[in-house]
Amino acid sequence: MAGEQLTITLFDTEIHGFHERVRDHTEIPIWLLDCPASNAKVIFMDKKLRINLLFNANKTYDRQVIEGIGEYLQASQCDWDIFLEDDFTTHIENIQVWHGDGIIADFDNPEIERLLTNTEIPVVGVGGSYQNMDEYPAVPYVATDNHALVELAFQHLKDKGLQHFAFYGFANDADKRWANEREKAFHKIVKQEGYTSSVFRGNDTNPHTWQYDMNRLADWLQMLPKPTGIIAATDSRARHLLQVCDHLNLMVPDKVAIIGIDNEELARYLTRVSLSSVAQGCKEMGYRAAKMLHKYIKEKSAVNDNQAEKQEFERVLIPPYQVYQRQSSDYQALKDPYVIQAMHFIRHNACKGIKVDQVLSYVGISRSNMETRFKEERGHSIHQEIHDSKLNRACSLLITTSLPIVEIAEVCGYPSLQYMYTVFKKNLAKTPKEYRSENSETTAFGN
């Protein structure tokens, strides 16, 4: 009938002239296009896209990237079917037999990068940054800024007043290009700042060579000038340093201050000294990668092959999130060797219920002498230092763990839960429960 409007529904359509290709039958309207040839209204529909995520979620980095991808899906409400292996890892042998509409992949893995070279499926790579621009892959790419990660860690240690710096990385390995980039960034930054430095490249963790590798690491640590600040390529490497320092009785952070990269949750709990770390912007990387892939798929369907060959791929650098300062880098420029010894003893034993007399026995000088030295360096008494150390430990456990408060009171050496409540009210003007609810990084399973 004249004057009536004809509605045409198109699914994942490429409109070249007036030829349409229907590929799907799921009707989720995204936008309307007015057909220029008539008074017909064309309803353009997005196809349900099949997206493969090639990551190993046993690593914090990969898990957080995947979380960021999920946040984009929730925010955009795009209709994606996500393919992810049941064990949340990448099985290389399955890559080339998978057929879908797009891939977001860990390009820090050179084998994955090789297998996806020249694929016709739209791919967005996620990985580390490179100083040499020629080393970037020929795909849209979202990178963690390796130089900025190391620079933030270095600045953190430098701001503590340290004058000597070192880096603990990996042996040269094509599978760990990101580690090589972090080492190169360290050399560049230290040289620009005018400091001397030392680098140790450790082997991959292996039960057969573990003791030998740790002995070589110990030799290197003992040769470093003291005090020194060490940047570890990862939190796992930083944990090696903490363990070897403990065996050597090297005081952390008084003689060796340590900071890792990743803010890996597991590493925080596997040593007596809590680990400082630089957190990467992994969630933002995942979000930007998903958004980039969504855009890339649309653009690729709208250009011909000749145009696609000339396309310049987008690259995005994601800065680090922040430094999480904990005990391992809490260096204080103390000059008195007796105070340094006392601080080390208190740091490791305050929550065991020690008294001032036990500190004096460890250091081996009189109380009046020690108290005078302590007040000159720290501005308060030994007893106050023990008190502060216990309170700081309790605050840290409330924020970073889900332990019941009664358990934290016991772990921190308070004689009772009521006593811990009194300490908190007097010093912080709030109860432990209130402190946890206002600051917690995790969900507690008990009060």
Side-chain angles (χ1 to χ4, degrees):
M1 182 180 296
E4 288 189 357
Q5 187 179 60
L6 172 65
T7 299
I8 305 171
T9 304
L10 303 176
F11 302 91
D12 187 33
T13 315
E14 296 178 23
I15 304 179
H16 300 294
F18 296 106
H19 299 286
E20 296 85 18
R21 180 165 52 89
V22 178
R23 294 176 56 190
D24 204 294
H25 300 284
T26 303
E27 300 191 11
I28 304 178
I30 301 300
W31 63 80
L32 302 178
L33 297 175
D34 289 325
C35 180
S38 70
N39 65 341
K41 177 177 286 187
V42 180
I43 304 177
F44 188 86
M45 320 290 276
D46 257 1
K47 174 193 172 187
K48 182 185 287 289
L49 299 174
R50 294 163 297 169
I51 307 299
N52 195 353
L53 305 183
L54 300 178
F55 294 93
N56 290 324
N58 59 329
K59 298 185 294 183
T60 293
Y61 170 89
D62 290 41
R63 286 197 304 272
Q64 292 180 353
V65 170
I66 293 172
E67 285 182 43
I69 294 170
E71 288 182 359
Y72 177 77
L73 298 185
Q74 295 296 317
S76 67
Q77 290 294 292
C78 57
D79 197 14
W80 288 7
D81 277 341
I82 300 296
F83 179 82
L84 193 61
E85 298 280 0
D86 286 340
D87 56 2
F88 301 105
T89 60
T90 297
H91 296 276
I92 300 293
E93 66 276 10
N94 294 338
I95 292 178
Q96 293 182 320
V97 298
W98 183 83
H99 300 285
D101 302 290
I103 296 172
I104 304 175
D106 176 13
F107 268 48
D108 278 336
N109 185 329
E111 182 66 10
I112 290 178
E113 181 180 347
R114 185 187 67 80
L115 289 171
L116 293 178
T117 300
N118 299 323
T119 181
E120 295 183 359
I121 300 172
V123 174
V124 169
V126 175
S129 64
Y130 297 95
Q131 290 187 23
N132 183 353
M133 299 300 290
D134 293 336
E135 295 186 43
Y136 280 98
V139 297
Y141 193 74
V142 180
T144 185
D145 192 334
N146 282 315
H147 187 278
L149 286 169
V150 176
E151 187 171 40
L152 190 59
F154 173 83
Q155 196 62 49
H156 172 73
L157 295 175
K158 180 185 172 186
D159 289 347
K160 293 291 182 179
L162 290 159
Q163 300 292 313
H164 303 289
F165 302 94
F167 184 87
Y168 175 36
F170 293 85
N172 280 326
D173 186 341
D175 289 343
K176 293 184 175 64
R177 295 173 294 179
W178 51 269
N180 298 334
E181 289 296 318
R182 291 175 189 177
E183 182 183 323
K184 286 192 286 186
F186 174 77
H187 282 300
K188 185 176 181 180
I189 292 164
V190 171
K191 183 178 180 180
Q192 287 175 341
E193 293 284 341
Y195 294 99
T196 57
S197 63
S198 178
V199 170
F200 184 82
R201 296 171 180 164
N203 295 322
D204 285 347
T205 303
N206 185 311
H208 301 292
T209 62
W210 171 254
Q211 194 56 57
Y212 172 84
D213 293 335
M214 292 302 99
N215 288 342
R216 299 292 73 75
L217 181 59
D219 293 341
W220 177 67
L221 284 170
Q222 288 175 303
M223 290 188 296
L224 293 174
K226 307 296 186 299
T228 193
I230 305 179
I231 300 171
T234 65
D235 285 348
S236 295
R237 298 270 108 171
R239 189 169 59 83
H240 297 171
L241 294 170
L242 289 172
Q243 290 182 177
V244 172
C245 284
D246 189 40
H247 288 303
L248 295 174
N249 290 320
L250 278 175
M251 292 182 286
V252 176
D254 308 279
K255 296 297 183 182
V256 179
I258 299 167
I259 185 168
I261 296 174
D262 283 338
N263 198 39
E264 167 61 67
E265 186 174 352
L266 286 177
R268 298 210 304 257
Y269 302 116
L270 295 179
T271 54
R272 286 199 300 164
V273 177
S274 58
L275 176 65
S276 297
S277 186
V278 181
Q280 302 186 64
C282 300
K283 287 187 180 180
E284 184 180 354
M285 291 173 68
Y287 188 97
R288 296 288 291 274
K291 185 176 183 179
M292 190 181 290
L293 179 64
H294 203 180
K295 176 184 175 183
Y296 183 29
I297 290 173
K298 290 179 180 179
E299 289 178 348
K300 190 170 183 180
S301 67
V303 300
N304 58 39
D305 292 338
N306 291 332
Q307 289 173 308
E309 289 176 4
K310 299 176 184 178
Q311 182 178 3
E312 291 187 5
F313 295 111
E314 184 179 1
R315 291 173 188 154
V316 176
L317 282 183
I318 304 299
Y321 182 64
Q322 71 175 84
V323 170
Y324 285 92
Q325 178 183 299
R326 302 185 182 93
Q327 193 175 350
S328 70
S329 68
D330 190 20
Y331 172 78
Q332 297 165 12
L334 302 174
K335 298 178 181 179
D336 192 312
Y338 290 111
V339 175
I340 292 173
Q341 290 182 56
M343 287 289 294
H344 180 71
F345 183 78
I346 292 170
R347 191 178 295 119
H348 287 285
N349 296 282
C351 294
K352 298 177 181 178
I354 60 169
K355 306 295 184 186
V356 174
D357 287 344
Q358 289 165 282
V359 178
L360 298 174
S361 296
Y362 178 79
V363 176
I365 62 174
S366 68
R367 179 161 190 157
S368 59
N369 190 357
M370 188 71 246
E371 288 285 8
T372 299
R373 292 170 178 268
F374 215 88
K375 286 181 180 178
E376 287 178 355
E377 285 270 21
R378 300 290 291 152
H380 53 245
S381 67
I382 302 171
H383 174 79
Q384 185 65 41
E385 187 68 39
I386 296 171
H387 167 83
D388 291 347
S389 186
K390 291 169 65 174
L391 180 59
N392 291 338
R393 178 62 174 160
C395 289
S396 175
L397 290 175
L398 286 168
I399 293 173
T400 62
T401 76
S402 57
L403 288 172
I405 295 176
V406 65
E407 181 76 12
I408 292 174
E410 181 179 345
V411 167
C412 292
Y414 291 112
S416 67
L417 178 61
Q418 183 179 2
Y419 188 87
M420 178 176 164
Y421 266 75
T422 301
V423 170
F424 267 71
K425 289 291 287 185
K426 180 180 179 180
N427 290 271
L428 303 175
K430 60 188 68 175
T431 67
K433 186 175 182 180
E434 290 168 343
Y435 183 86
R436 167 174 269 172
S437 64
E438 292 174 11
N439 300 280
S440 184
E441 294 176 2
T442 185
T443 302
F445 57 75
N447 289 326

